[in-house]
Every structure is written in C-alpha cells, then in structure tokens.
C-alpha cells in the first residue's frame, strides 16, 4: 500500500493509496490479471446492458448484460417488449412509458427513468434505463438505442428512496389516524361519520368513498363521500352478483383494482349510465371480512388515473381490515343498544293520564354517547281526590344497570304516591327502597303533588333541580324549593328527610321539570344552562307540544349532549274569565322556622321582576309582619298571595290568609311593649290595608302604589333571578 493519498490528477495517482480496503475473492471467473476486456464484458461486469428497440417493427434486441439486468434467460425472451411483463410489473411499465411519452411530446432526443424489476426469486431490484431516440429526416422517431443498468446500490441514499420512505411514513400516519378515528366509533352511524366526514376519504388516500353492507343476501350502500352526485336509488340496493363492483367484491371475497374509469365501466357495463357520478381515475373495491365472514365492501375512488403499486394495494387491504373490524364491532354494539333502549322504553310510561284543568307533555332523549341508555325518567300519576303526581328523576350512570334500577325505583315511587302519601313520605320510602336494593347507585328526584283545581303544588326534592314556573306573561321564576340528599344516600347517611314546599300554579302558567341533561354541558357551569333554559322558555312558542320540541331540539340535541334528558311540562288552563295578571302564591307551615325567610326572598325576587322600585322594602316588611301575625296568633299556617293589579297607577296587592276566624285588632303598645306593632307598621307603610273573611278563615291585605317611573310592566323581558 502507498504511504498516503495522492491528488487524483497526479500521474502516479492510485485510488488504493492511503486507504483501508478489504481483500475480496473475485466472483467474475475467466478474467485474467492482464487480459484485455471487451466492451460487453465491461458493461456486464458493471451490471449493465444495452437494448436496441425498432419502433416500426416492434422488436427489441437485448444483449446478455441486459438479460442479466432483467434476470432473464435467453429462452425466456422472445425479442418483443411485451415479454418483459414477467419481470416488469404493470405500474413500473407505466412509469417507463410515461417517461418515453413525455420525451416524444417535448421533442427530446433522450429520456431516462428508474423502475423496479421483479426477480425470479421474488425480490425486487431498482433499475435505470437511458435511451437515445433516433428520428427520420422527417423528424419521425423510429428507433431507440440505450442501456439498462442495475441501480439498487445507487439509489440506496437517493432522493427517490427518500421520497419512498416519506410515502411509507405517510402511509403509516394514515393507518394510525384511521385506526384511532375508528377506535372511537361505537355505532355503525359513528363509523360512517368517520368515513364520510371531513378528511374521511383522504385518510384512505382516496378522493371518494363508498361503503356498503351485506344484508340477507342483498348488498346495501350505507355511506358515500367525495362523489359528484348522489348514488342512484337503483344502485343503493342490489343483488350479490357480478354486475356492480361492490356487490361483486363482496360475493367473490376478492379485491378489484382498476386504473381508470374506462376500465371500471368496461368491466361493469351497468355503470355506464352513471359515468358522470364516478371520478375519472383509479378505483379499488375491497371486501370487508371479519371472522371469516364477508360483512360488506369498501370502494375507494380517485380523480386521477394510476396503476396502484403493491404497497398501495397492501395498504388499502389493511385499512379495509380495520374498517371491517370496526363495522362488525359497531353492528354488535347497535344490536345491544337496540335491546337496551327497548328495555328502557318498556320502563317508561306508555301513556299519560288526562288532567282536568291542565295539560301535560313529556320528552325523553337517550345520551348521545355510550349505549344510548341511562337512568333518567319521568312519570305522571293519577292520585286520589283528583290530584296528580309529577315525577322527574335521574339514577346515576348510563348503562343497563342504571336503567334496571330506574325501572324498579319508578314502580316503587308510583306505588307509594298512588297510596296518597305526602310528597315527603313518598321520597322517604323511595330512598329506603333504593338503599335496600343490591346496588351502589343513588338517584335524584323531584316529586310534585298537584291540585289543578286550586293550583296548589306540594313539592319535595331529593338532590334534584327544582321547578321552573312561567306565568301567562312569560315571567320566569325558579322558586326556592327546600330539599334533601339524593335517594339512597339520604337513608345511608341517616338524613332521609325531604321537607315540602308549597307553591301555586296560576291559570295560564306552565311548570317545567327536567333532569340536568337539559342544562348541563361539559366544561360549562350549570348556571349557563339554567339561564339558557329560562331564555328559551320565555321566547318559546305558547303551544305546550311545540315548546317541548323547541327545548329538546335546541337545548339538548343541537349541542350534542353526552347525558340523557327527561323533560316534563305541566300547563294549568285558564278558567272562564280567569285573570291573567302576574301573581305569586306561597304557603308557610306553622312549624317551619325558616318559612318566613324563604317567603321574603321569593317576594323580593318577584318584586324585582315586576320592577317595583322604591316600594320593595315596604312590601317585604309588611309581608314579614303579616306572616308573623298569622303564625303567632293562629294555629294554622299562612297562605301568602301577591299580585300586580291592572290600571293606572300600577298597584301591588299583598294578602296573608289564615284559618282563624278571630278578627285582627290594631293595638297601641306602650314604649316598653315587645309586640303589638305589626299592624301599625302595615298601616304606616301601605297605601291601604284591611281584612276580609275567607271561608273558614280570614285574609289581611294591603296595597302599594308603584311610584311614577317605576312601572311594574311585565313585558317578558325582565331579568330572571
């Protein structure tokens, strides 16, 4: 070896000098150390050969070096280009043809292209062809002379291989994205949404997509994307025969790959009338096979003609396998969900009892995720003495177990209510019933015992939303309703007490009960949903059915709630000549120490809605004094009523009714007296006051004029508190 490297242009230059090199046993026999080597041998030693293509005769002469490059024996080549098909795959032949066609189109005298050769042992090698195009005196090409050479080593680090690596990475990402998207799809509807949604077809490297399923020896198209128009009706359902590509693929269990729309129509003439619907490019039709059963077929369509490479075909088949597994899983899920929702439907009331003096309507929607089943329920129960029981509740969870618990709890609560028990007793017994079940689930619930003749509502609440009340002037109120812990938990914690609240539903007013699925959205505070529900009721239609549809469509369905939802609307019909003035009615129990404070809160809230202005404090103090007077000097509770009287100026009337026939007496207490000043305060604050007999009792009343500039006009635009 030489002592060091020399400049390549030195006359003593030796490439071996100054370099490490390995001793190799020569595998080219018959070449001596000094024997001259001819041109063909030189080409052959470099895995290179020549060809001479006579375009007029259609013959191509390959020397021995070229035959070696194509891995052909002399007896395997007949001198025509078509015989190379055993070594050159169709897509690679198209690559060569495109290079030559472009050179002819541009008027060039040479062309070159890389392509792959399929060797006899199944391996592939990269090859390069370089040709010189000869032309006649008239400029007509008649002959191509060139070389072919093995280029695998040359392309090991070339840009072409790098692009192939990028293509493989793209395909890997494509598979990952498709698999991830389909993994989240539970139902067949979810699968079709993934396939036909934004970027659905592109996940498969296609411009258009058609999906169909096998149903009872028939083929039915269930989803399309990227087509120029709608699939004709007579193509949506077909027999499993060979007249249409998807049905043919499903019948034969073999994929079909076509390069152009022309090939597609030539193979399936039945598609000829629908040429304009189909993309002009290549197409792949793939059977969907799961557990050795063909469940459908997938069609992938492209806008540009192309010969799909083996890698592209393998990728399409792999993605079809992913789709097949997803469709099979989704089909089983849909069957289970259908069973579950059928079970739940049998647990909810099939019909509602008629209500004298009122109307009721209900809506139920299953969750938009999971098995579309949950624990929400509603009920309307005919009670003794013409009363009506109204129930809305929610068992924890969204599965068949929640639905089963809901069914048992609903029947138990209906039985307790039907016996005529008070709302508190009904919820206490329901809580104990749930606690004794072999379940860890709890339930929230609101139960109302309604007397539509008088409008009296007796309400008990167990960890659930209270009612919304909208009067005839569209005033919205969420009255304060006392409550207890959720059913089941209340008993386990030893706090199964559900205090009642009494409200009144005025003629022309509507009461709303719902589960939290109507007002809760992920990532939002529930107050946002409550405000939205209030606004929707205020602006909604007056017809009860139309209002129920509006609320369920716009508040639940549009956002795509992940929770189920139960909604109940009760409307008290206005009687003949019934007043439609705004009114508030509340009941204070004799032994309820917090009742007065709750009534004061409701009175202030209502006065704020009526924009009573400066008289709010006076009315609140008068209400407190009259309630205290009734609770102190009688043995009954107090019925508080407040209404906004028509006329000019506007006036607000406050009444407190009790069951005592003893008439009130205004006293003049001394400076040291601790009581007796209630009626004096009322007289001082009110514009007018007095007492009236009411059946077995009496009512104390007082009226207040609303100051100018503070018109209490309930125009439906007041704030909801």
């Amino acid at each position: 070896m030489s002592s060091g490297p020399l400049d390549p242009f030195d006359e003593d230059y030796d490439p071996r000098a100054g370099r490490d090199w390995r001793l190799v046993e020569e595998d080219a026999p018959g070449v001596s150390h000094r024997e001259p080597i001819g041109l063909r041998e030189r080409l052959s030693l470099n895995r290179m050969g020549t060809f001479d293509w006579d375009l007029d005769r259609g013959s191509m002469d390959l020397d021995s070096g070229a035959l070696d490059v194509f891995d052909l024996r002399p007896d395997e080549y007949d001198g025509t280009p078509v015989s190379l098909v055993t070594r050159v795959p169709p897509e690679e032949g198209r690559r060569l043809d495109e290079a030559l066609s472009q050179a002819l189109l541009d008027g060039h005298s040479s062309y070159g292209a890389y392509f792959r050769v399929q060797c006899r042992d199944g391996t592939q090698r990269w090859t390069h062809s370089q040709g010189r195009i000869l032309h006649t005196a008239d400029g007509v090409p008649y002959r191509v002379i060139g070389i072919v050479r093995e280029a695998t080593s040359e392309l090991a680090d070339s840009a072409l291989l790098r692009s192939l690596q990028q293509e493989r990475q793209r395909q890997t990402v494509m598979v990952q994205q498709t698999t991830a998207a389909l993994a989240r799809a539970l139902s067949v509807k979810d699968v079709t949404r993934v396939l036909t949604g934004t970027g659905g077809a592109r996940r498969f490297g296609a411009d258009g997509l058609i999906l169909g399923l096998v149903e009872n020896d028939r083929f039915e198209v269930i989803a399309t994307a990227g087509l120029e128009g709608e699939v004709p009706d007579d193509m949506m359902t077909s027999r499993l025969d060979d007249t249409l590509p998807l049905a043919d693929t499903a019948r034969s269990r073999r994929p079909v790959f076509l390069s152009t729309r022309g090939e597609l129509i030539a193979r399936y003439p039945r598609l000829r009338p629908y040429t304009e619907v189909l993309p002009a490019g290549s197409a792949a039709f793939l059977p969907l096979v799961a557990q050795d059963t063909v469940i459908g077929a997938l069609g992938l369509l492209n806008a540009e003609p192309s010969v799909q490479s083996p890698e592209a075909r393998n990728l399409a088949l792999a993605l079809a396998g992913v789709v097949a597994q997803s469709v099979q899983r989704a089909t089983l899920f849909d069957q289970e969900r259908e069973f579950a929702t059928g079970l739940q439907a049998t647990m909810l009331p099939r019909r509602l009892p008629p209500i004298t003096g009122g109307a009721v309507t209900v809506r139920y929607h299953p969750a938009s995720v999971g098995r579309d089943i949950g624990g929400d329920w509603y009920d309307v129960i005919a009670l003794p003495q013409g009363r009506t029981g109204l129930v809305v509740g929610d068992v924890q969870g969204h599965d068949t177990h929640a639905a089963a618990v809901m069914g048992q709890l609903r029947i138990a609560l209906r039985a307790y209510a039907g016996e005529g028990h008070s709302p508190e007793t009904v919820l206490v017994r329901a809580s104990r019933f749930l606690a004794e079940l072999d379940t860890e689930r709890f339930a929230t619930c609101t139960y109302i015992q309604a007397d539509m003749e008088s409008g009296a509502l007796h309400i008990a609440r167990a960890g659930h939303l209270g009612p919304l009340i909208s009067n005839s002037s569209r005033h919205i109120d969420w009255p304060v309703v006392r409550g207890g812990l959720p059913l089941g938990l209340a008993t386990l914690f030893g706090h199964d007490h559900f205090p009642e609240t009494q409200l009144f539903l005025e003629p022309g007013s509507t009461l709303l009960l719902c589960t939290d699925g109507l007002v809760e959205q992920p990532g939002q505070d529930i107050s946002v949903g409550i405000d939205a529900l209030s606004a929707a009721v205020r602006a909604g239609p007056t017809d009860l059915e139309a209002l129920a549809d509006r609320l369920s469509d716009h508040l639940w369905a549009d956002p795509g709630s992940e929770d189920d939802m139960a909604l109940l609307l009760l409307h008290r019909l206005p009687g003949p000549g019934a007043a439609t003035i705004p009114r508030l009615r509340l009941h204070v129990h004799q032994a309820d120490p917090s009742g007065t404070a709750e009534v004061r809160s409701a009175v202030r809230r209502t006065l704020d809605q009526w924009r009573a202005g400066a008289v709010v404090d006076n009315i609140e103090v008068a209400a407190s004094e009259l309630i205290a007077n009734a609770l102190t000097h009688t043995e009954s509770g107090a019925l508080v009523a407040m209404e906004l009287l028509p006329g000019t100026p506007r006036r607000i009337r406050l009444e407190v009714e009790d069951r005592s026939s003893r008439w009130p007496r205004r006293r003049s207490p001394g400076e040291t007296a601790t009581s007796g000043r209630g009626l004096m305060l009322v007289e001082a604050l009110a514009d007018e006051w007095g007492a009236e007999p009411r059946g077995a009792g009496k009512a104390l009343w007082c009226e207040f004029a609303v100051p100018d500039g503070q018109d209490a006009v309930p125009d439906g635009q007041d704030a909801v508190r």
Side-chain angles (χ1 to χ4, degrees), residues 516-549:
D516 55 10
L518 189 63
V519 293
E520 277 191 331
Q521 289 295 330
Q524 291 186 350
D525 188 84
I526 192 173
S527 62
V528 176
I530 289 176
D531 291 343
L533 176 59
S534 301
V537 172
R538 184 190 301 115
T542 57
D543 179 75
L544 203 63
E545 297 291 336
L547 177 60
D549 290 337

Side-chain angles (χ1 to χ4, degrees), residues 3-142:
S3 59
L6 300 176
D7 188 286
F9 299 100
D10 289 346
E11 59 178 292
D12 295 331
Y13 170 69
D14 184 347
R16 299 170 297 177
R19 296 185 175 94
D20 293 329
W21 40 272
R22 182 181 303 176
L23 296 174
V24 177
E25 183 178 353
E26 180 56 59
D27 61 355
V31 179
S32 65
H33 190 65
R34 300 296 181 186
E35 178 183 351
I37 301 175
L39 176 60
R40 290 190 179 277
E41 288 78 6
R42 297 177 190 175
L43 296 175
S44 179
L45 287 172
N46 285 280
R47 307 301 298 267
M48 186 182 298
T50 65
F51 67 88
D52 186 348
W53 187 0
D54 190 328
L55 300 179
D56 293 332
R57 296 182 179 180
S59 61
M60 179 183 290
D61 177 60
L62 298 179
D63 65 7
S64 59
L67 290 174
D68 288 341
V69 171
F70 285 107
D71 197 15
L72 289 171
R73 293 189 292 265
D75 60 333
E76 294 175 330
Y77 182 65
D78 63 2
T80 60
V82 70
S83 61
L84 293 176
V85 72
T86 58
R87 291 291 180 266
V88 181
E91 62 272 15
E92 303 301 323
R94 185 177 294 275
R95 191 198 306 273
L96 283 169
D97 178 70
E98 289 176 353
L100 177 57
S101 298
Q102 190 64 42
L104 294 174
L105 179 64
D106 296 338
H108 295 162
S109 296
S110 63
Y111 73 95
Y114 288 94
F115 62 98
R116 284 174 294 190
V117 170
Q118 187 82 24
C119 299
R120 66 179 68 253
D121 61 1
T123 61
Q124 289 187 340
R125 67 166 61 138
W126 279 102
T127 304
H128 183 259
S129 174
Q130 183 73 35
R132 175 68 163 80
I133 305 173
L134 303 180
H135 300 79
T136 65
D138 298 329
V140 178
Y142 70 94

Side-chain angles (χ1 to χ4, degrees), residues 34 185 199 206 342 356 445 470 700:
R34 300 296 181 186
T356 302
C445 176
S470 171
L700 294 180

